[in-house]
Structures are given as C-alpha cells and as structure tokens.
Amino acid sequence: MTFQRATRLNGIELSEIVQISEAARRLRAEGRDILALSTGEPDLPTPPHVVAAAHEAALAGKTKYPPTAGVPKLRAEIAQQAGVTLDQVVVSTGAKQVIANAMLATLNPGDEVIMPAPYWTSYSDIVRLAGGTPVVLPCPMEQGFKLTPEQLAAAITPRTRWLMLNTPSNPSGAIYSRDEIAALAQVLAHHPQVWVLADEIYAHLSYVPFTSVAEAAPQLTDRMLIVNGVAKAWSMTGWRIGWGIGPADLIKAMITVQGQLTSGACSISQWASLAAITGDPALLDQRRAIFAARRALVVDALNAIPGVTCAAPDGAFYAFPSIAGLLTENGGRLDSDAAFCAWLLNEAGVALVPGRAFGLAGHVRLSFAYAEDTITAALARLTSALERTPA
Ligand code: PMP
C-alpha cells in the first residue's frame, strides 16, 4: 500500500524559509562556506535570568501536565498586563499555535481570511489546513506594504471571517499607525462578521512608535484576537511559548482545540516566560538598540546596490528590498526573486528568502537577526557577486 497524503495537505509544503535553510545546511555539509540571512531567529542568547527560572521550575518539580490554558501565574500576568480577565487569555506552544488554534476553532470550509501581502508565509498554509480560503491582497512598497481601507472594503464578502493584521510585519517591518488602524476599523464597523487577528509578536522591536490594534480600535475588542509571545523580543524561539488575548468565548474554543492537540504548552517554558515578561524592561531597550544598529547597516548597504530599493523597516528584524531593478538589468536571466535567491546561494553562498514566499514577488527578505559580522560579510558577498556577474 503506497503512502497516501490527506487531501487537507494539498498545496501545503514545507515552508520556503525552511527549504532554503535546509539547502544552506546541505551546502555547508558539502564544505561550502554559507552565510544564511534567511531565518527570523535572534542570534542573542535567551536572557540568563530566564534560563535560571527554567532551572528552578524543573528542580521544583513543575514538570507535570500544566492546565490546558496555561500556567495560572503566567496567564494572570499576561491578563494583568493587557488589562483583561483570566478567561480571555490562552498560552500555547508558540504564537504559531495560537494562530492555528484560532483558525481551527473558527473556520468552516470555504470561509475566507483576508491577508495583506506580504504576509508571514505560515498564515496562508494554516488557513488552508483549517479548511479556510486565504484571500491575499497585494500591498506593494509604494503603499508602505500596508492595507488600505479601500482594499479592505472591496475584499470583504459574506464569507469573510478574519482579517490578519501583522504589525510590525514579517517580512516588511511595516507598522500600522493609530490612524491607519482606526481607518481599517471604520470599514469593519460595517461588517460585524469579520474578526481581526492582530499578530503583534514584534511589538517590542519597533523603531518608530508602536500602537497596538487593541488600543487603536477598542470598538473591535469583542471580535479581536491579539497574538504575542516571547520568541522574538527575548530570543526564546526554542522555548515555544506564545499567547492569545481575546473574547472569552473565542478563547474557550481555542482551549478546546489545544486540549486535543497538545494538552497545553511546556510547563518549564511557561515558568521561564513568566520570568521574561516580568523582567527588567531595560533589557528590551538594549536589544532594540542592537537591532536598530543592524537595521541602519543593512538598509544603507542595500540601497547602495544599483537596482535594489529598500525602505527602512519600522519594526521587526527584516529588510524587504525590491530587487525589480536587478531583474531587468540582468536582461531576464534572473527573471524572478526565486531565481535570484537560488543564484545568490550558489554564486555567493548567501541565503535569502524570495518575496514570493510572502505573497509579494520581486522582493527578497533579509533577516538581520544575525551577528553584525555575518551581516556585513553577507552584504559584501552580495555586492561583489552582483558586480562580478551581471546579466
Ligand atoms: N507571527 C509572526 C509574524 C512570525 O514571524 C512568527 C515567527 N516567525 C510567528 C508568528 C511564530 O512565532 P512562534 O515562534 O512564537 O511560534
């Protein structure tokens, strides 16, 4: 009997980001010197006091099944910081699982989820896995990679269940201003069936003022899910803790899903996360300053390359330059962002992610969550490879 994949997996493959990272790993194993700027994972260590809290929790025997919705102390701290009640918070195995739980808990076949592109690559696949239909709205660089109220109004149908808003955005770094959020909320006022998923996992990594969707659109509170987590700001990608804040009935449905999928997030990681979010906020300022310096380095270097245009990202740790100019200058040989990334990996040993993985072709994503030396070396290789081998 040959292996048979479920039809629910049709069109869903390993994410392009993972594929590129694996290609880079393969080349490394062959002895090639590869510099990867392809992953959204800070090089900085998890803060020592967070690691210590995990040790303590493990030694104190906090190693049993936690309550499905999360360790009460962590849940209570998140609720208190957000100004909501305990039943409005669920802790999950990463922000990714929060999003997956929400989609599994709410979507029926054919329900539509609006996602402004570029979007984090997993959004569309999670929606498909949950039986929904992604509705991708291109938001090019000229509009700051942001959704306009007109676009939103035109895309809403009776089947629309969610609008995904990611601010600051992976991959563009765009942050929606208070007024921009209010204008989108104005459109949603006419469509009470549409909920908002605000993925704010990069909120602490903002280089311009950040306003939470919860704060800018309080009239949507009863149909809003705020997603956040410790992965990015505290360099805790491997600990796998994220959380959702929303109306109690939605949270309850998400906890039901979680109960059957994982029984709840890792107990030790939850105690570590409590130490992170109650720790000295000065740590976040220090880390933001480190990323801000790298951001300046990357944006300047990219804009110095003929054919590349890079807007300074407002937040997160990605640059998302347009390489459209390069593709035309190359006379069509490198006719796409994907071809460019494949060429760059082979020619210069530098791994970037093509924009098409995020629903917006003609761009590439460069993560600057890497040590400055690595970033500088990769940019130098990129520049010299382009000088060496145009057309
Ligand atoms: N949302 C966005 C926008 C992200 O970039 C990521 C991680 N790449 C996640 C959610 C998932 O975060 P976690 O590691 O907590 O699952």
PDB file of all heavy atoms in Angstrom, residues 266-295:
ATOM      1  N   CYS A 266       4.514  23.583  27.136  1.00  0.00           N
ATOM      2  CA  CYS A 266       5.552  23.072  28.058  1.00  0.00           C
ATOM      3  C   CYS A 266       5.576  23.866  29.372  1.00  0.00           C
ATOM      4  O   CYS A 266       5.720  25.092  29.375  1.00  0.00           O
ATOM      5  CB  CYS A 266       6.912  23.181  27.362  1.00  0.00           C
ATOM      6  SG  CYS A 266       8.304  22.929  28.448  1.00  0.00           S
ATOM      7  N   SER A 267       5.452  23.145  30.483  1.00  0.00           N
ATOM      8  CA  SER A 267       5.351  23.819  31.784  1.00  0.00           C
ATOM      9  C   SER A 267       6.615  24.617  32.116  1.00  0.00           C
ATOM     10  O   SER A 267       6.536  25.772  32.559  1.00  0.00           O
ATOM     11  CB  SER A 267       5.062  22.789  32.881  1.00  0.00           C
ATOM     12  OG  SER A 267       6.108  21.834  32.924  1.00  0.00           O
ATOM     13  N   ILE A 268       7.758  24.030  31.881  1.00  0.00           N
ATOM     14  CA  ILE A 268       9.014  24.706  32.245  1.00  0.00           C
ATOM     15  C   ILE A 268       9.189  25.986  31.427  1.00  0.00           C
ATOM     16  O   ILE A 268       9.574  27.040  31.943  1.00  0.00           O
ATOM     17  CB  ILE A 268      10.205  23.739  32.035  1.00  0.00           C
ATOM     18  CG1 ILE A 268      10.070  22.569  33.018  1.00  0.00           C
ATOM     19  CG2 ILE A 268      11.534  24.443  32.219  1.00  0.00           C
ATOM     20  CD1 ILE A 268      10.988  21.410  32.721  1.00  0.00           C
ATOM     21  N   SER A 269       8.851  25.898  30.150  1.00  0.00           N
ATOM     22  CA  SER A 269       8.937  27.087  29.287  1.00  0.00           C
ATOM     23  C   SER A 269       7.988  28.182  29.761  1.00  0.00           C
ATOM     24  O   SER A 269       8.272  29.369  29.609  1.00  0.00           O
ATOM     25  CB  SER A 269       8.594  26.725  27.841  1.00  0.00           C
ATOM     26  OG  SER A 269       9.570  25.886  27.283  1.00  0.00           O
ATOM     27  N   GLN A 270       6.860  27.776  30.309  1.00  0.00           N
ATOM     28  CA  GLN A 270       5.905  28.787  30.786  1.00  0.00           C
ATOM     29  C   GLN A 270       6.465  29.537  31.985  1.00  0.00           C
ATOM     30  O   GLN A 270       6.338  30.757  32.086  1.00  0.00           O
ATOM     31  CB  GLN A 270       4.561  28.143  31.125  1.00  0.00           C
ATOM     32  CG  GLN A 270       3.853  27.607  29.891  1.00  0.00           C
ATOM     33  CD  GLN A 270       2.391  27.284  30.165  1.00  0.00           C
ATOM     34  OE1 GLN A 270       1.613  28.150  30.548  1.00  0.00           O
ATOM     35  NE2 GLN A 270       2.017  26.034  29.964  1.00  0.00           N
ATOM     36  N   TRP A 271       7.115  28.805  32.894  1.00  0.00           N
ATOM     37  CA  TRP A 271       7.726  29.479  34.049  1.00  0.00           C
ATOM     38  C   TRP A 271       8.869  30.393  33.583  1.00  0.00           C
ATOM     39  O   TRP A 271       9.051  31.496  34.106  1.00  0.00           O
ATOM     40  CB  TRP A 271       8.209  28.450  35.083  1.00  0.00           C
ATOM     41  CG  TRP A 271       7.046  27.838  35.805  1.00  0.00           C
ATOM     42  CD1 TRP A 271       6.500  26.606  35.611  1.00  0.00           C
ATOM     43  CD2 TRP A 271       6.233  28.471  36.817  1.00  0.00           C
ATOM     44  NE1 TRP A 271       5.411  26.424  36.419  1.00  0.00           N
ATOM     45  CE2 TRP A 271       5.227  27.550  37.182  1.00  0.00           C
ATOM     46  CE3 TRP A 271       6.266  29.716  37.451  1.00  0.00           C
ATOM     47  CZ2 TRP A 271       4.255  27.835  38.143  1.00  0.00           C
ATOM     48  CZ3 TRP A 271       5.305  29.996  38.417  1.00  0.00           C
ATOM     49  CH2 TRP A 271       4.315  29.064  38.755  1.00  0.00           C
ATOM     50  N   ALA A 272       9.601  29.953  32.596  1.00  0.00           N
ATOM     51  CA  ALA A 272      10.666  30.802  32.043  1.00  0.00           C
ATOM     52  C   ALA A 272      10.066  32.062  31.408  1.00  0.00           C
ATOM     53  O   ALA A 272      10.583  33.168  31.580  1.00  0.00           O
ATOM     54  CB  ALA A 272      11.469  30.015  31.007  1.00  0.00           C
ATOM     55  N   SER A 273       8.956  31.889  30.729  1.00  0.00           N
ATOM     56  CA  SER A 273       8.318  33.033  30.060  1.00  0.00           C
ATOM     57  C   SER A 273       7.802  34.045  31.076  1.00  0.00           C
ATOM     58  O   SER A 273       7.830  35.259  30.831  1.00  0.00           O
ATOM     59  CB  SER A 273       7.168  32.556  29.170  1.00  0.00           C
ATOM     60  OG  SER A 273       7.683  31.710  28.161  1.00  0.00           O
ATOM     61  N   LEU A 274       7.341  33.534  32.222  1.00  0.00           N
ATOM     62  CA  LEU A 274       6.889  34.447  33.278  1.00  0.00           C
ATOM     63  C   LEU A 274       8.063  35.323  33.736  1.00  0.00           C
ATOM     64  O   LEU A 274       7.920  36.532  33.916  1.00  0.00           O
ATOM     65  CB  LEU A 274       6.313  33.642  34.453  1.00  0.00           C
ATOM     66  CG  LEU A 274       5.821  34.467  35.641  1.00  0.00           C
ATOM     67  CD1 LEU A 274       4.663  35.381  35.231  1.00  0.00           C
ATOM     68  CD2 LEU A 274       5.391  33.559  36.799  1.00  0.00           C
ATOM     69  N   ALA A 275       9.232  34.701  33.881  1.00  0.00           N
ATOM     70  CA  ALA A 275      10.424  35.482  34.268  1.00  0.00           C
ATOM     71  C   ALA A 275      10.751  36.516  33.188  1.00  0.00           C
ATOM     72  O   ALA A 275      11.151  37.645  33.485  1.00  0.00           O
ATOM     73  CB  ALA A 275      11.612  34.542  34.490  1.00  0.00           C
ATOM     74  N   ALA A 276      10.558  36.134  31.933  1.00  0.00           N
ATOM     75  CA  ALA A 276      10.868  37.073  30.834  1.00  0.00           C
ATOM     76  C   ALA A 276       9.957  38.294  30.901  1.00  0.00           C
ATOM     77  O   ALA A 276      10.430  39.433  30.930  1.00  0.00           O
ATOM     78  CB  ALA A 276      10.722  36.366  29.479  1.00  0.00           C
ATOM     79  N   ILE A 277       8.649  38.061  30.976  1.00  0.00           N
ATOM     80  CA  ILE A 277       7.740  39.220  30.836  1.00  0.00           C
ATOM     81  C   ILE A 277       7.618  40.046  32.123  1.00  0.00           C
ATOM     82  O   ILE A 277       7.053  41.126  32.097  1.00  0.00           O
ATOM     83  CB  ILE A 277       6.341  38.813  30.307  1.00  0.00           C
ATOM     84  CG1 ILE A 277       5.574  37.948  31.312  1.00  0.00           C
ATOM     85  CG2 ILE A 277       6.446  38.125  28.952  1.00  0.00           C
ATOM     86  CD1 ILE A 277       4.105  37.753  30.910  1.00  0.00           C
ATOM     87  N   THR A 278       8.155  39.510  33.225  1.00  0.00           N
ATOM     88  CA  THR A 278       8.169  40.313  34.450  1.00  0.00           C
ATOM     89  C   THR A 278       9.568  40.876  34.727  1.00  0.00           C
ATOM     90  O   THR A 278       9.795  41.514  35.745  1.00  0.00           O
ATOM     91  CB  THR A 278       7.712  39.472  35.678  1.00  0.00           C
ATOM     92  OG1 THR A 278       8.521  38.298  35.732  1.00  0.00           O
ATOM     93  CG2 THR A 278       6.249  39.083  35.569  1.00  0.00           C
ATOM     94  N   GLY A 279      10.493  40.631  33.802  1.00  0.00           N
ATOM     95  CA  GLY A 279      11.878  41.078  33.994  1.00  0.00           C
ATOM     96  C   GLY A 279      12.047  42.566  33.696  1.00  0.00           C
ATOM     97  O   GLY A 279      11.101  43.251  33.298  1.00  0.00           O
ATOM     98  N   ASP A 280      13.275  43.025  33.869  1.00  0.00           N
ATOM     99  CA  ASP A 280      13.603  44.434  33.660  1.00  0.00           C
ATOM    100  C   ASP A 280      13.405  44.815  32.188  1.00  0.00           C
ATOM    101  O   ASP A 280      14.071  44.264  31.309  1.00  0.00           O
ATOM    102  CB  ASP A 280      15.072  44.633  34.072  1.00  0.00           C
ATOM    103  CG  ASP A 280      15.492  46.087  34.015  1.00  0.00           C
ATOM    104  OD1 ASP A 280      14.681  46.920  33.539  1.00  0.00           O
ATOM    105  OD2 ASP A 280      16.631  46.382  34.429  1.00  0.00           O
ATOM    106  N   PRO A 281      12.522  45.784  31.928  1.00  0.00           N
ATOM    107  CA  PRO A 281      12.275  46.166  30.523  1.00  0.00           C
ATOM    108  C   PRO A 281      13.483  46.820  29.851  1.00  0.00           C
ATOM    109  O   PRO A 281      13.525  46.934  28.624  1.00  0.00           O
ATOM    110  CB  PRO A 281      11.090  47.152  30.608  1.00  0.00           C
ATOM    111  CG  PRO A 281      10.939  47.519  32.035  1.00  0.00           C
ATOM    112  CD  PRO A 281      11.631  46.488  32.859  1.00  0.00           C
ATOM    113  N   ALA A 282      14.475  47.209  30.663  1.00  0.00           N
ATOM    114  CA  ALA A 282      15.686  47.804  30.074  1.00  0.00           C
ATOM    115  C   ALA A 282      16.351  46.824  29.111  1.00  0.00           C
ATOM    116  O   ALA A 282      16.976  47.223  28.121  1.00  0.00           O
ATOM    117  CB  ALA A 282      16.658  48.211  31.178  1.00  0.00           C
ATOM    118  N   LEU A 283      16.188  45.540  29.388  1.00  0.00           N
ATOM    119  CA  LEU A 283      16.767  44.513  28.513  1.00  0.00           C
ATOM    120  C   LEU A 283      16.218  44.653  27.085  1.00  0.00           C
ATOM    121  O   LEU A 283      16.949  44.540  26.103  1.00  0.00           O
ATOM    122  CB  LEU A 283      16.431  43.125  29.068  1.00  0.00           C
ATOM    123  CG  LEU A 283      16.886  41.972  28.193  1.00  0.00           C
ATOM    124  CD1 LEU A 283      18.121  41.326  28.800  1.00  0.00           C
ATOM    125  CD2 LEU A 283      15.812  40.927  27.991  1.00  0.00           C
ATOM    126  N   LEU A 284      14.917  44.924  27.001  1.00  0.00           N
ATOM    127  CA  LEU A 284      14.296  45.046  25.677  1.00  0.00           C
ATOM    128  C   LEU A 284      14.831  46.280  24.955  1.00  0.00           C
ATOM    129  O   LEU A 284      15.033  46.260  23.737  1.00  0.00           O
ATOM    130  CB  LEU A 284      12.772  45.111  25.815  1.00  0.00           C
ATOM    131  CG  LEU A 284      12.125  43.854  26.407  1.00  0.00           C
ATOM    132  CD1 LEU A 284      10.624  44.047  26.557  1.00  0.00           C
ATOM    133  CD2 LEU A 284      12.417  42.637  25.535  1.00  0.00           C
ATOM    134  N   ASP A 285      15.069  47.358  25.718  1.00  0.00           N
ATOM    135  CA  ASP A 285      15.623  48.576  25.105  1.00  0.00           C
ATOM    136  C   ASP A 285      17.013  48.288  24.555  1.00  0.00           C
ATOM    137  O   ASP A 285      17.367  48.716  23.454  1.00  0.00           O
ATOM    138  CB  ASP A 285      15.701  49.704  26.137  1.00  0.00           C
ATOM    139  CG  ASP A 285      14.313  50.137  26.595  1.00  0.00           C
ATOM    140  OD1 ASP A 285      13.338  49.911  25.844  1.00  0.00           O
ATOM    141  OD2 ASP A 285      14.200  50.685  27.713  1.00  0.00           O
ATOM    142  N   GLN A 286      17.799  47.547  25.349  1.00  0.00           N
ATOM    143  CA  GLN A 286      19.159  47.232  24.882  1.00  0.00           C
ATOM    144  C   GLN A 286      19.112  46.417  23.591  1.00  0.00           C
ATOM    145  O   GLN A 286      19.855  46.670  22.652  1.00  0.00           O
ATOM    146  CB  GLN A 286      19.903  46.406  25.937  1.00  0.00           C
ATOM    147  CG  GLN A 286      20.343  47.194  27.155  1.00  0.00           C
ATOM    148  CD  GLN A 286      20.549  46.286  28.373  1.00  0.00           C
ATOM    149  OE1 GLN A 286      20.607  45.060  28.238  1.00  0.00           O
ATOM    150  NE2 GLN A 286      20.644  46.868  29.554  1.00  0.00           N
ATOM    151  N   ARG A 287      18.222  45.455  23.567  1.00  0.00           N
ATOM    152  CA  ARG A 287      18.158  44.583  22.388  1.00  0.00           C
ATOM    153  C   ARG A 287      17.632  45.351  21.178  1.00  0.00           C
ATOM    154  O   ARG A 287      18.117  45.163  20.069  1.00  0.00           O
ATOM    155  CB  ARG A 287      17.300  43.353  22.706  1.00  0.00           C
ATOM    156  CG  ARG A 287      18.020  42.502  23.742  1.00  0.00           C
ATOM    157  CD  ARG A 287      17.488  41.126  23.905  1.00  0.00           C
ATOM    158  NE  ARG A 287      18.540  40.343  24.574  1.00  0.00           N
ATOM    159  CZ  ARG A 287      18.564  39.042  24.697  1.00  0.00           C
ATOM    160  NH1 ARG A 287      17.586  38.324  24.206  1.00  0.00           N
ATOM    161  NH2 ARG A 287      19.556  38.416  25.289  1.00  0.00           N
ATOM    162  N   ARG A 288      16.656  46.206  21.432  1.00  0.00           N
ATOM    163  CA  ARG A 288      16.134  47.013  20.330  1.00  0.00           C
ATOM    164  C   ARG A 288      17.260  47.869  19.734  1.00  0.00           C
ATOM    165  O   ARG A 288      17.359  48.019  18.517  1.00  0.00           O
ATOM    166  CB  ARG A 288      14.986  47.893  20.816  1.00  0.00           C
ATOM    167  CG  ARG A 288      14.281  48.605  19.673  1.00  0.00           C
ATOM    168  CD  ARG A 288      13.190  49.564  20.158  1.00  0.00           C
ATOM    169  NE  ARG A 288      12.322  48.956  21.149  1.00  0.00           N
ATOM    170  CZ  ARG A 288      12.292  49.303  22.438  1.00  0.00           C
ATOM    171  NH1 ARG A 288      13.083  50.252  22.900  1.00  0.00           N
ATOM    172  NH2 ARG A 288      11.479  48.699  23.272  1.00  0.00           N
ATOM    173  N   ALA A 289      18.114  48.412  20.603  1.00  0.00           N
ATOM    174  CA  ALA A 289      19.215  49.259  20.118  1.00  0.00           C
ATOM    175  C   ALA A 289      20.178  48.445  19.244  1.00  0.00           C
ATOM    176  O   ALA A 289      20.671  48.940  18.223  1.00  0.00           O
ATOM    177  CB  ALA A 289      19.950  49.881  21.303  1.00  0.00           C
ATOM    178  N   ILE A 290      20.409  47.211  19.619  1.00  0.00           N
ATOM    179  CA  ILE A 290      21.292  46.345  18.818  1.00  0.00           C
ATOM    180  C   ILE A 290      20.690  46.143  17.427  1.00  0.00           C
ATOM    181  O   ILE A 290      21.361  46.288  16.397  1.00  0.00           O
ATOM    182  CB  ILE A 290      21.502  44.983  19.531  1.00  0.00           C
ATOM    183  CG1 ILE A 290      22.311  45.194  20.811  1.00  0.00           C
ATOM    184  CG2 ILE A 290      22.181  43.978  18.605  1.00  0.00           C
ATOM    185  CD1 ILE A 290      22.385  43.958  21.708  1.00  0.00           C
ATOM    186  N   PHE A 291      19.401  45.836  17.396  1.00  0.00           N
ATOM    187  CA  PHE A 291      18.751  45.610  16.096  1.00  0.00           C
ATOM    188  C   PHE A 291      18.672  46.903  15.282  1.00  0.00           C
ATOM    189  O   PHE A 291      18.777  46.871  14.059  1.00  0.00           O
ATOM    190  CB  PHE A 291      17.360  44.998  16.300  1.00  0.00           C
ATOM    191  CG  PHE A 291      17.405  43.565  16.751  1.00  0.00           C
ATOM    192  CD1 PHE A 291      16.867  43.173  17.969  1.00  0.00           C
ATOM    193  CD2 PHE A 291      18.014  42.591  15.965  1.00  0.00           C
ATOM    194  CE1 PHE A 291      16.922  41.845  18.390  1.00  0.00           C
ATOM    195  CE2 PHE A 291      18.075  41.261  16.379  1.00  0.00           C
ATOM    196  CZ  PHE A 291      17.525  40.893  17.593  1.00  0.00           C
ATOM    197  N   ALA A 292      18.502  48.021  15.973  1.00  0.00           N
ATOM    198  CA  ALA A 292      18.412  49.299  15.257  1.00  0.00           C
ATOM    199  C   ALA A 292      19.723  49.589  14.515  1.00  0.00           C
ATOM    200  O   ALA A 292      19.717  50.075  13.377  1.00  0.00           O
ATOM    201  CB  ALA A 292      18.074  50.424  16.227  1.00  0.00           C
ATOM    202  N   ALA A 293      20.851  49.265  15.159  1.00  0.00           N
ATOM    203  CA  ALA A 293      22.147  49.495  14.520  1.00  0.00           C
ATOM    204  C   ALA A 293      22.298  48.605  13.289  1.00  0.00           C
ATOM    205  O   ALA A 293      22.755  49.038  12.223  1.00  0.00           O
ATOM    206  CB  ALA A 293      23.273  49.231  15.519  1.00  0.00           C
ATOM    207  N   ARG A 294      21.879  47.367  13.407  1.00  0.00           N
ATOM    208  CA  ARG A 294      21.967  46.436  12.273  1.00  0.00           C
ATOM    209  C   ARG A 294      21.044  46.874  11.139  1.00  0.00           C
ATOM    210  O   ARG A 294      21.364  46.728   9.957  1.00  0.00           O
ATOM    211  CB  ARG A 294      21.577  45.029  12.725  1.00  0.00           C
ATOM    212  CG  ARG A 294      22.538  44.448  13.732  1.00  0.00           C
ATOM    213  CD  ARG A 294      22.040  43.100  14.180  1.00  0.00           C
ATOM    214  NE  ARG A 294      22.866  42.532  15.232  1.00  0.00           N
ATOM    215  CZ  ARG A 294      22.594  41.391  15.850  1.00  0.00           C
ATOM    216  NH1 ARG A 294      21.508  40.711  15.524  1.00  0.00           N
ATOM    217  NH2 ARG A 294      23.389  40.931  16.791  1.00  0.00           N
ATOM    218  N   ARG A 295      19.892  47.392  11.534  1.00  0.00           N
ATOM    219  CA  ARG A 295      18.918  47.853  10.541  1.00  0.00           C
ATOM    220  C   ARG A 295      19.534  48.951   9.669  1.00  0.00           C
ATOM    221  O   ARG A 295      19.435  48.917   8.439  1.00  0.00           O
ATOM    222  CB  ARG A 295      17.694  48.377  11.298  1.00  0.00           C
ATOM    223  CG  ARG A 295      16.722  49.231  10.522  1.00  0.00           C
ATOM    224  CD  ARG A 295      15.653  49.690  11.509  1.00  0.00           C
ATOM    225  NE  ARG A 295      14.637  50.550  10.959  1.00  0.00           N
ATOM    226  CZ  ARG A 295      14.581  51.859  11.160  1.00  0.00           C
ATOM    227  NH1 ARG A 295      15.525  52.480  11.865  1.00  0.00           N
ATOM    228  NH2 ARG A 295      13.589  52.562  10.647  1.00  0.00           N
TER     229      ARG A 295
END
